[in-house]
Amino acid sequence: MYIFVCCLLSNLALLAAVQLACAIVRAVRPELHLRGTRVFIGIIAIAFVFDAALTFLVFADAGGPWRVRNPVETFFARAAAYLLAIVLAFVLARVWRRRGARRKAPPGALVIETSPYSKSTLPM
């Protein structure tokens, strides 16, 4: 459980750092459409592949002090932490997008129905 919590906290710190870096890049160069969630998922995917390679190719047959820690058993806790961090990144991105959409349209604004087929609306 300790490994899961530590890995999750480090992944969430990485998520915050990536989101901050992407916000700074978007502020400096507004023509770039850089999404922090996608960058974070790419970084986590690369980290997961390296983690799996090290666990199963290097440390699986290592002797000495690595046998006490058993990296193969702790890999699944780290993998669950990677997966939970990705799910949290998606949820937070959705919440931030919805909050941003609400800020653009003032409350009580006039809403025009643009298509009865798709039920799309246009706030005015």
Side-chain angles (χ1 to χ4, degrees):
M1 186 67 175
Y2 176 76
I3 292 171
F4 172 77
V5 171
C6 288
C7 189
L8 182 63
L9 288 177
S10 67
N11 289 338
L12 292 178
L14 178 65
L15 173 62
V18 167
Q19 291 287 356
L20 179 65
C22 288
I24 291 171
V25 167
R26 281 192 308 267
V28 172
R29 304 220 19 214
E31 69 272 5
L32 292 177
H33 297 288
L34 194 60
R35 301 250 183 206
T37 304
R38 292 180 185 166
V39 173
F40 173 72
I41 290 172
I43 292 171
I44 287 294
I46 291 169
F48 179 74
V49 168
F50 282 139
D51 190 359
L54 283 173
T55 299
F56 294 109
L57 298 176
V58 176
F59 295 123
D61 295 330
W66 295 109
R67 283 285 169 215
V68 176
R69 298 191 189 274
N70 199 358
V72 175
E73 286 181 6
T74 59
F75 172 76
F76 298 108
R78 292 189 310 270
Y82 289 139
L83 182 64
L84 184 59
I86 289 173
V87 169
L88 283 173
F90 274 129
V91 168
L92 289 174
R94 183 176 172 97
V95 167
W96 290 332
R97 258 186 277 131
R98 292 183 125 193
R99 185 176 292 168
R102 277 192 222 137
R103 287 183 189 161
K104 290 180 183 175
L110 176 66
V111 177
I112 298 172
E113 184 178 345
T114 57
S115 171
Y117 177 73
S118 65
K119 296 184 177 159
S120 60
T121 59
L122 177 66
M124 301 295 277

